[in-house]
Amino acid sequence: MDLTSQALLAAQFKAEALFREVVERDMVSAGKLESELTAQIHALAQSRFELRRHWHKRIARSGPNTLLTYHDEGADRRITEDDIVYLDFGPVFDAWEADFGRTFVLGADPTKHRLVGDLAKAFSSGKELYRRSPDLTAGQLYDHVAALAAAYGWEFGARTAGHLIGHFPHERRPQDPAHFSIRHANPMALREPDETGVQRHWILEIHFIDRAREIGGFYEELLTVDARDADPHLAG
């Protein structure tokens, strides 16, 4: 595994550890505003993980707000009993970006718990498609995970299913922002190297929604690096 892959995976391991602490401390709880939750998690990240900055805004969405995408702005909502909540954080650890998203269910609603399970299955399916398809394009991967939403009984909730990730700040193309996103009809090969010949790295994002029930869920992490290939010391 090259040094860039190791650095990105190490950043993701820290993000995973942060989310584990969020769960262990029962921070996702009824009665709390979404803004309060993001502030508390940010404070935890600063104190426990020496976090100094994020490369994108911190997001906590609950209930009907889980239908919203990263780019949508919703009213600050108070989390309720039996709610569904998703978190999307983009911390920068040692100048390397992480982008990590998970969904939590308060209560025992079987439909919401099924949604959480389907998000993880869809991510695994998308990652496996990437592993076995050397010429896979961004558009093909988007179409694959969007089709899974319908197969599982959901709707895909966003026009994109991922983006580049890397050393802060990562590569951008302001004149054509869609070029570096996983979206329908994007012909860019995911394994196409950058202008210096270095491998690009991608995040895969799964956003499934049910408009009738007004619920959604979100799951994201690295697409192009496998934790199973990592040096065991990275997660230590």
Side-chain angles (χ1 to χ4, degrees):
M1 182 179 290
D2 62 55
L3 293 177
T4 296
S5 298
Q6 290 183 41
L8 288 172
L9 198 55
Q12 178 166 290
F13 285 153
K14 287 184 179 180
E16 288 181 288
L18 170 62
F19 274 53
R20 281 196 300 273
E21 287 216 22
V22 168
V23 173
E24 291 167 359
R25 294 169 182 248
D26 293 320
M27 294 177 73
V28 182
S29 57
K32 189 177 296 183
L33 287 170
E34 294 167 342
S35 60
E36 292 173 336
L37 177 57
T38 61
Q40 289 172 359
I41 296 174
H42 183 56
L44 174 64
Q46 288 181 312
S47 64
R48 293 279 288 112
F49 298 91
E50 300 182 346
L51 181 69
R52 295 294 175 264
R53 59 185 173 182
H54 282 71
W55 70 270
H56 72 63
K57 63 183 178 181
R58 304 182 300 275
I59 293 175
R61 298 250 161 88
S62 64
N65 283 351
T66 57
L67 299 177
L68 302 176
T69 70
Y70 170 86
H71 298 286
D72 299 323
E73 294 294 337
D76 196 11
R77 182 178 179 274
R78 196 170 296 279
I79 299 168
T80 65
E81 299 287 346
D82 203 37
D83 221 338
I84 189 165
V85 180
Y86 82 69
L87 303 177
D88 177 8
F89 277 64
V92 177
F93 295 112
D94 298 322
W96 291 93
E97 301 164 345
D99 204 356
F100 200 76
R102 288 293 188 269
T103 301
F104 305 87
V105 177
L106 282 66
D109 186 311
T111 300
K112 294 171 184 173
H113 282 280
R114 179 172 67 86
L115 173 55
V116 171
D118 287 346
L119 291 164
K121 287 192 299 182
F123 182 91
S124 295
S125 178
K127 189 152 187 171
E128 181 57 33
L129 179 65
Y130 173 81
R131 289 188 188 113
R132 69 172 188 264
S133 308
D135 300 320
L136 186 69
T137 68
Q140 289 169 337
L141 180 55
Y142 179 88
D143 291 347
H144 175 77
V145 295
L148 288 176
Y152 294 158
W154 312 103
E155 177 185 343
F156 202 81
R159 293 183 179 179
T160 64
H163 52 79
L164 287 182
I165 194 78
H167 194 273
F168 181 80
H170 64 244
E171 183 181 7
R172 295 181 182 274
R173 186 180 288 190
Q175 72 277 19
D176 183 17
H179 184 73
F180 290 141
S181 66
I182 298 172
R183 64 172 65 218
H184 175 69
N186 185 353
M188 181 180 182
L190 293 170
R191 286 183 173 82
E192 177 185 310
D194 68 16
E195 294 179 353
T196 67
V198 174
Q199 177 190 2
R200 289 187 172 103
H201 287 282
W202 297 83
I203 288 289
L204 177 60
E205 302 174 342
I206 308 295
H207 185 203
F208 287 173
I209 64 173
D210 185 324
R211 294 187 191 278
R213 290 187 174 92
E214 293 190 310
I215 60 171
F218 189 71
Y219 189 110
E220 72 170 337
E221 60 181 68
L222 280 166
L223 170 69
T224 45
V225 183
D226 282 322
R228 61 190 182 185
D229 298 328
D231 182 332
H233 297 293
L234 283 179

